[in-house]
């Protein structure tokens, strides 16, 4: 019941008070930009310099933001695949973006149809690796090499999240604790219906996003509205940074 962004902003201010300082500087990325906006609204007198990088829209609920993300990641991933096609000499995946996309999704479908061996990676891990390319051009070379390994050599070792093969349950729990506690979430039937509607044109992220946020449909804590932000509350200048091809938090 105490994991909302407003709770997190209050926690930040308690850290400031514990440090015994009058003002703190703040840098946040993605969700951290919404936390920063709430912090700046609630405690403007205690904030000095601010950088907001990959800015979240404070006017949209988390469910709608995830639906929008399905579409924006599709666009960003297409731009990445076009880059892969231009670098056929290095990646050897062909020079036709449509053909590369077809092979990529065929591989995802092929892995999804097979039962993973032990804790080995499968279709979900491949999607997770490829989605990184939609977060920004920094990930393009690494993701391009991963795609090459998977498509040309059927080498899935690059998809392992860590040496122990275990994902971070704590990160996921923290994510759900915040997302599910704020804004309005539909029931699972609505989420699945929306996914079926969106998936044909947005293959990469739609189902992954749906199941990732699925627990919010039955979260035991009733969600509260997003905390409003007010730019007028913070009068000092601050810097907003955004990458053009960021699919996770779209530039628009």
């Amino acid at each position: 019941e105490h994991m909302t962004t407003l709770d997190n902003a209050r926690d930040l201010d308690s850290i400031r008070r514990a440090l015994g300082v009058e003002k703190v500087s703040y840098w946040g990325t993605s969700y951290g930009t919404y936390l920063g906006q709430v912090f700046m609204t609630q405690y403007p007198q205690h904030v000095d310099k601010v950088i907001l990088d990959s800015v979240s829209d404070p006017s949209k609920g988390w469910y709608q933001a995830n639906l929008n993300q399905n579409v924006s990641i599709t666009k960003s991933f297409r731009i990445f695949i076009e880059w892969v096609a231009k670098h056929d000499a290095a990646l050897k995946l062909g020079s036709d973006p449509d053909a590369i996309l077809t092979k990529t999704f065929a591989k995802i479908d092929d892995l999804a149809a097979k039962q993973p061996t032990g804790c080995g990676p499968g279709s979900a891990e491949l999607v997770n690796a490829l989605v990184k390319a939609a977060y920004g051009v920094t990930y393009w070379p690494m993701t391009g090499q991963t795609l090459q390994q998977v498509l040309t050599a059927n080498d899935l070792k690059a998809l392992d999240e860590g040496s122990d093969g275990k994902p971070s349950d704590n990160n996921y729990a923290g994510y759900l604790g915040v997302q599910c506690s704020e804004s309005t979430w539909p029931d699972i039937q609505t989420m699945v219906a929306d996914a079926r509607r969106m998936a044909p044109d947005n293959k990469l992220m739609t189902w992954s996003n749906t199941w990732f946020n699925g627990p919010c449909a039955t979260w035991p804590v009733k969600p509260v509205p997003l905390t409003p932000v007010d730019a007028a509350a913070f009068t000092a200048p601050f810097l907003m940074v955004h990458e053009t091809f960021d699919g996770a938090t779209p530039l628009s």
Side-chain angles (χ1 to χ4, degrees), residues 55-77:
V55 186
S56 292
D57 185 343
S59 68
K60 290 185 173 68
W62 295 125
Y63 182 63
Q64 185 59 51
N66 279 297
L67 294 182
N68 295 346
Q69 192 180 73
N70 295 338
V71 177
S72 58
I73 281 182
T74 295
K75 295 177 180 177
S76 296
F77 187 67

Side-chain angles (χ1 to χ4, degrees), residues 27-210:
W27 169 64
T29 66
S30 193
Y31 165 73
T33 65
Y34 175 56
L35 174 57
Q37 292 171 72
V38 172
F39 187 64
M40 293 156 71
T41 300
Q42 297 291 319
Y43 306 103
Q45 72 277 23
H46 295 306
V47 184
D48 188 13
K49 298 177 178 64
V50 175
I51 299 176
L52 303 179
D53 180 349
S54 308
V55 186
S56 292
D57 185 343
S59 68
K60 290 185 173 68
W62 295 125
Y63 182 63
Q64 185 59 51
N66 279 297
L67 294 182
N68 295 346
Q69 192 180 73
N70 295 338
V71 177
S72 58
I73 281 182
T74 295
K75 295 177 180 177
S76 296
F77 187 67
R78 169 75 194 201
I79 295 169
F80 160 69
I81 291 296
E82 290 172 353
W83 176 86
V84 169
K86 288 178 182 176
H87 292 80
D88 179 39
L91 295 173
K92 297 178 173 55
L93 289 174
S95 57
D96 182 350
D98 291 328
I100 299 172
L101 276 174
T102 298
K103 284 189 284 187
T104 299
F105 287 115
K107 187 63 178 179
I108 292 171
D109 291 341
D110 179 57
L111 288 173
K114 296 176 180 177
Q115 181 71 22
T117 303
C119 294
S123 62
E125 286 75 20
L126 177 55
V127 169
N128 192 49
L130 296 179
V131 163
K132 290 177 182 176
Y135 277 68
V137 298
T138 304
Y139 295 101
W140 287 6
M142 175 183 68
T143 309
Q145 290 174 351
T146 298
L147 189 59
Q148 179 197 42
Q149 287 175 274
V150 171
L151 293 184
T152 61
N154 195 34
D155 182 358
L156 305 182
K157 291 193 294 292
L159 304 180
D160 279 325
E161 289 192 10
S163 57
D164 60 0
K166 297 177 182 177
S168 174
D169 286 343
N170 196 50
N171 282 352
Y172 185 40
Y175 167 88
L176 291 175
V178 176
Q179 292 255 318
C180 301
S181 298
E182 295 183 324
S183 67
T184 302
W185 287 89
D187 56 34
I188 194 66
Q189 289 81 7
T190 301
M191 295 174 77
V192 170
D194 284 339
R196 286 178 174 151
R197 172 176 56 82
M198 298 190 74
D201 295 324
N202 303 281
K203 290 183 179 181
L204 184 64
M205 189 66 172
T206 298
W207 283 112
S208 174
N209 226 352
T210 300

Side-chain angles (χ1 to χ4, degrees), residues 8-21 24 39:
N8 292 336
R10 289 169 177 160
D11 287 345
L12 284 182
D13 194 60
S14 71
I15 294 171
R16 177 197 62 78
R17 285 185 275 111
L19 292 172
V21 294
V24 294
F39 187 64

